[in-house]
Amino acid sequence: MTIEAGIAAINRGDAAAAEAIFRGILAAEPAHAKALHGLGKALHDQRQLEQALVAFEAAGRADPTPHLGVHHAGLVRLLLGDHAGGWPGWEARRLLPSLGFAQLPVPFWQGEPISGRRLLILGEQGIGDVVQFVRFLPAAAARSGAAVTFGCAPPLHLLLEPFCRAHGIASVTGQINPLGFDQFAWIGSLAHLLGEPPASWGAVVPYLRPEPARAAIWRRRRPRGARCVGLCWEGRATHPQDAQRSLPPAALLPLAGQGAVTVGLQRPPLRGIPPEALLDMNWGPDMTDLAETAAMLFALDAVVTVDTSIAHMAGALGVPCWVLLPWVPDWRWGLHGEATPWYPGMTLLRQTQAGDWAGPVARAAAALRA
């Protein structure tokens, strides 16, 4: 039994086999940090979250660089709904080389007033992460009293610049010299730094708007008098949980023929070709940038999607959205219920057992019929 064998078992979706391998290693060496990390992941993937938390916390104590265990323990706490206990572990992401966070030569902002100074807030991780947390920029500007600049990747800039401009926040992209600022923060830290309670997260929704001319073009492409629902079935293939969150397009066939025009929202190349009966229209090839995608979403009556950036964009735009979630969802969706404090117009449709998409898709079909 080796660490590599346990990792291979996790990667092929056999968490129970991985658990047995890592427990075998730990029987001989109880403080084996990599085996504790692996055991935590195997337990997490089986939704044994309290046990996973124990394993990740033990990994943090056993590892000379504890940040990975602390971070994973924080994610489990957030998934369990313990935000006060989970945010400190979430902050440990900034110390993980694998996530690519730069260590900048200016102090990290801790949420305190810094009136008259210059604060740089940077985007991070995926498109969905930035769209989710950008709502907190105005509150950060008000709390800090600083001149705030938001730096984001070029694909996001066209989408988010109007939001920033409306709130008096400068928006820049490309290379940024951090020495031009007094302090900085990562955008994913703002909810924690500001102490925003979950009940307040959705108060600003919708907070993104598409370019009106673009949205009008897509409205004209709709069949007159029809209800139109967008479908997205794949996330980014390199996402570590993509095998759990994405599904083959044929699994969405029950959504066809439910009284709505089905519109594809999947950019090529596709990993699975959708059955001809699934889509009435396909806008995916025209999703040339995020501002165009926002205009498309705004022109629809509803969206059914897996957990990817399309879900966050629809939520931020206030477009009714049903999100199909795996048995063990990402931390931000919690474990129970159809509602989420992040987006009031969103409905969460959860698997009731690992790998079974039939139930969530059937509930989405029933919602379309209604």
Side-chain angles (χ1 to χ4, degrees):
M1 293 185 291
T2 64
I3 294 293
E4 291 73 18
I7 293 172
I10 286 177
N11 290 340
R12 67 173 181 267
D14 193 348
E19 178 188 354
I21 291 169
F22 292 126
R23 287 195 185 281
I25 295 170
L26 290 166
E29 189 178 347
H32 194 301
K34 288 185 177 180
L36 287 166
H37 283 298
L39 177 61
K41 171 63 173 165
L43 292 166
H44 169 275
D45 289 359
Q46 296 175 83
R47 200 159 154 152
Q48 298 177 35
L49 297 176
E50 297 290 354
Q51 293 183 55
L53 180 60
V54 171
F56 284 136
E57 290 179 337
R61 292 190 296 270
D63 198 331
T65 53
H67 313 306
L68 183 62
V70 171
H71 179 54
H72 283 161
L75 294 181
V76 173
R77 289 188 182 278
L78 289 171
L79 179 55
L80 290 168
D82 177 10
H83 295 97
W87 285 132
W90 168 249
E91 288 303 304
R93 77 197 186 288
R94 300 187 279 117
L95 303 173
L96 298 177
S98 62
L99 294 183
F101 284 85
Q103 304 304 312
L104 302 188
V106 293
F108 190 79
W109 183 57
Q110 300 293 335
E112 74 278 15
I114 51 170
S115 181
R117 309 194 80 184
R118 298 159 298 175
L119 175 62
L120 174 64
I121 298 176
L122 293 170
E124 60 174 273
Q125 302 187 74
I127 290 168
D129 297 280
V130 177
V131 170
Q132 177 186 9
F133 285 105
V134 75
R135 75 185 73 198
F136 297 118
L137 278 178
R143 170 76 64 83
S144 67
V148 174
T149 296
F150 175 55
C152 65
L156 280 156
H157 187 255
L158 189 62
L159 173 68
L160 299 180
E161 192 277 335
F163 170 80
C164 293
R165 182 168 15 98
H167 292 281
I169 295 166
S171 175
V172 296
T173 191
Q175 290 293 111
I176 302 170
N177 179 10
L179 295 177
F181 299 88
D182 298 296
Q183 295 187 46
F184 87 101
W186 297 101
I187 198 163
S189 296
L190 295 185
H192 170 53
L193 294 175
L194 295 168
E196 294 279 358
S200 74
W201 294 345
V204 297
V205 177
Y207 52 92
L208 294 188
R209 297 285 189 277
E211 184 181 329
R214 291 198 194 206
I217 290 171
W218 289 104
R219 286 196 190 95
R220 288 195 292 269
R221 290 185 60 171
R222 294 171 45 126
R224 186 181 299 273
R227 290 188 304 138
C228 293
V229 57
L231 305 182
C232 176
W233 55 88
E234 291 177 359
R236 173 170 51 88
T238 55
H239 189 282
Q241 295 295 113
D242 191 66
Q244 287 74 42
R245 68 171 183 166
S246 294
L247 67 159
L252 295 182
L253 271 173
L255 302 181
Q258 301 299 335
V261 172
T262 52
V263 181
L265 296 174
Q266 202 72 56
R267 288 185 63 183
L270 304 179
R271 283 173 275 161
I273 304 302
E276 186 175 344
L278 177 61
L279 300 179
D280 298 309
M281 304 173 67
N282 186 13
W283 291 357
D286 296 309
M287 295 167 69
T288 52
D289 59 53
L290 294 180
E292 197 74 59
T293 301
M296 290 178 183
L297 294 174
F298 200 71
L300 297 169
D301 295 295
V303 173
V304 178
T305 178
V306 295
D307 177 12
T308 188
S309 59
I310 290 290
H312 291 282
M313 291 180 66
L317 289 161
V319 176
C321 182
W322 289 274
V323 183
L324 307 170
L325 292 180
W327 171 235
V328 185
D330 188 76
W331 66 267
R332 67 203 76 207
W333 308 123
L335 283 174
H336 306 290
E338 291 191 343
T340 170
W342 294 107
Y343 305 107
M346 183 176 283
T347 302
L348 306 178
L349 302 178
R350 303 174 183 273
Q351 287 183 345
T352 55
Q353 58 183 351
D356 181 12
W357 288 112
V361 172
R363 295 196 294 278
L368 291 183
R369 286 195 298 275

